[in-house]
Amino acid sequence: MKYSVGVDMGGTNTDMGLVSENGNIIQRRSIPTNAYTELEPYVHDMMQEIEAMVAEQSATDGEAVLLEGIGIGAPNGNFYTGCVDNAPNLTIKGVLDFGKEIKKYMPVPVVLSNDANAAAYGEYVYGGAKGMQHFIMFTLGTGVGSGIVVDGKLVHGSTGGAGELGHNILIPHGRKCSCGREGCLETYTSARGIVQTYLELRRENPDEERMLKEVPDAEITSKLIGEAAHQGDPVALKTWEMVGEWLGLAMANSVTFSAPEAIFLMGGPTQVGEPLLKPLRAAFEKYLLNIYQGSCKIRMSELKTNEVAILGAAALLKMKSEK
């Protein structure tokens, strides 16, 4: 039987999955990314896990697994070069040539792109964007990523790094961003940005704060803020209202350059639901250029949160084969 491997390289953990042709994750493995400072031992251990999955599945199927390739979603992943380019949140530094290292162990195609592009293509192959030729994916997590599909193809641009909408400047001279600039969308709508907004608001409104009053600043998370919002906490609700306004504005602006059929949302902070989505949709309609009114819908990813990164990485192989 034919399978592919999807690898989600995060700053903390690397998750791997053996994926069937119909998009089911048959097996999963994981190693701690932040336990490594050099590429060679990291790839060695990653390939040991992949080889173990392949061997186990061969035994289960009663025949050799036909592995179509390995797809990798990684921060600062460059589709053209197959390298991770100086990702600031990785303990393995520098330009990391995954294709070269992996082929020391297994002579299969290796495709790499940034994690948001992988998520977008996973939605295109396996999720709610099936059949769509034009859409944008926003991923909310530690940062804010995006993947843009136009005419059924991911947009990579001249450098392989197109689609960094999380680093569009939302508020000039605003919060300091990890990219070195100030006021990027990521600093306001990522999980970290959401926490910062909440903390600022509760300092400004000490008498209004309710549910999380006794929780120290260092222990506040976007998940806790979401739970508080559902309990009617006014500061939490105000936080999501502001985040929704900012994100809706950014999404409305993104429509003007690619005229997508839909904008998909995924990531931990999106799980809060209506406290975010209601103000987001209102802001999106308010700021959307009139010629695009009614042409683009905001939708949640239809892939499972704990599967999308692996499926997206595996889907990159299908994109490569179609070129």
Side-chain angles (χ1 to χ4, degrees), residues 163-229:
E164 289 288 355
L165 300 182
H167 292 287
N168 279 345
I169 292 176
L170 177 74
I171 299 175
H173 312 297
R175 296 173 181 171
K176 186 74 172 179
C177 185
S178 61
C179 74
R181 302 190 303 166
E182 295 177 341
C184 291
L185 177 70
E186 178 172 296
T187 66
Y188 294 91
T189 60
S190 65
R192 290 180 295 187
I194 293 164
V195 169
Q196 185 171 344
T197 298
Y198 179 84
L199 294 177
E200 290 171 356
L201 286 174
R202 83 168 180 177
R203 283 193 290 269
E204 294 168 5
N205 305 276
D207 297 332
E208 285 190 83
E209 208 276 320
R210 295 291 183 271
M211 275 196 66
L212 305 179
K213 190 171 186 178
E214 304 303 321
V215 181
D217 287 5
E219 296 179 15
I220 297 293
T221 64
S222 61
K223 183 178 180 181
L224 284 176
I225 298 168
E227 292 169 355

Side-chain angles (χ1 to χ4, degrees), residues 123 137-141 189-191 194 221-230 240 243 247 264-278 280-281 299-309:
E123 198 71 37
M137 168 72 80
F138 277 84
T139 63
L140 273 58
T189 60
S190 65
I194 293 164
T221 64
S222 61
K223 183 178 180 181
L224 284 176
I225 298 168
E227 292 169 355
H230 283 289
W240 291 109
V243 173
L247 197 54
F264 287 85
L265 265 173
M266 63 158 288
T270 68
Q271 301 304 305
V272 69
E274 286 304 301
L276 170 66
L277 297 177
K278 185 176 179 180
L280 188 158
R281 293 188 185 105
R299 296 176 56 176
M300 297 296 295
S301 170
E302 293 185 12
L303 298 177
K304 294 179 181 178
T305 302
N306 66 342
E307 294 186 354
V308 63

Side-chain angles (χ1 to χ4, degrees), residues 54-71:
V54 169
E56 187 174 323
Q57 196 60 38
S58 295
T60 300
D61 292 347
E63 60 183 12
V65 161
L66 176 57
L67 191 62
E68 295 187 300
I70 299 172

